[in-house]
Amino acid sequence: MKCMIKPLKSITILIVILIAAGVFKPAFAQTNPDIKIDSLKTAISKHPANDSILAGYQILLGHLIIRTDLSLAMKVTDQAIETSRACNWENGIYTALRQKGAIYYEMSEFDQAINYQLLALKEIEKAKNVPLAKQKKFAIGIYINIANSYTGTRQFDKSLEYGLKALPLT
């Protein structure tokens, strides 16, 4: 199946049309997170293409369930990484890798969390067409995540090192 990256404008137009048609109304209008999660699961299962929209749904679902269902969050995030790589969607790749690091952090697997945060950092550094301000903001978050993971391993010197790496970028 051919993979496609949808331009941001096209995605925005599609979402506006679908909201107007009532397709996404349950996902965005409801305050109950379970309804949002169910709507995303349905959207993922019915999405016809292996594209950046599907990867975006997968990333969002993984984010929404990271504190309630770690095994499903990991599965969906792995799918998002695979889908993003198949599409060569750089934003999806580095975002999903960062999310996988966050999942490992929640599982108290701090070494794996650090590895995936560093992979995400490498991906955004090599990504094309990412504004410098976005790279800096992303790097700040990654350095803080790594610092927190090192705190979890009780390596406070490394935690401080990575926390300090974020300062010049602010």
Side-chain angles (χ1 to χ4, degrees), residues 10-167:
S10 297
I11 293 170
T12 304
I13 292 169
L14 174 65
I15 290 172
V16 169
I17 291 169
L18 293 174
I19 290 170
V23 174
F24 282 140
K25 190 173 182 182
F28 293 102
Q30 302 294 327
T31 56
N32 184 339
D34 292 334
I35 293 173
K36 291 178 185 178
I37 291 167
D38 289 342
S39 297
L40 273 171
K41 287 178 180 177
T42 300
I44 289 169
S45 69
K46 293 184 177 185
H47 193 74
N50 192 29
D51 59 15
S52 58
I53 293 173
L54 176 62
Y57 289 159
Q58 292 165 331
I59 291 167
L60 182 56
L61 178 59
H63 176 75
L64 287 173
I65 61 174
I66 195 168
R67 291 202 167 71
T68 58
D69 191 341
L70 287 171
S71 63
L72 182 58
M74 183 67 79
K75 178 183 175 187
V76 172
T77 301
D78 283 337
Q79 291 169 348
I81 293 168
E82 183 180 320
T83 303
S84 297
R85 286 196 191 283
C87 295
N88 197 29
W89 185 40
E90 295 170 331
N91 184 54
I93 296 168
Y94 60 75
T95 301
L97 287 169
R98 176 183 60 189
Q99 184 164 290
K100 188 166 180 171
I103 294 167
Y104 277 120
Y105 179 85
E106 290 295 321
M107 296 168 71
S108 298
E109 293 185 28
F110 302 117
D111 291 332
Q112 284 287 67
I114 292 165
N115 289 337
Y116 277 94
Q117 296 295 329
L118 289 171
L119 285 172
L121 188 60
K122 286 179 188 174
E123 286 293 329
I124 197 167
E125 287 172 351
K126 73 179 187 181
K128 300 173 183 79
N129 303 319
V130 178
L132 184 59
K134 182 175 182 176
Q135 284 185 1
K136 284 184 176 184
K137 183 177 177 182
F138 191 85
I140 290 167
I142 293 291
Y143 289 138
I144 298 302
N145 291 347
I146 292 171
N148 289 337
S149 294
Y150 275 121
T151 298
T153 65
R154 306 193 59 76
Q155 295 180 55
F156 302 113
D157 56 333
K158 295 292 274 184
S159 178
L160 179 61
E161 175 188 336
Y162 277 90
L164 291 174
K165 284 185 179 190
L167 283 179

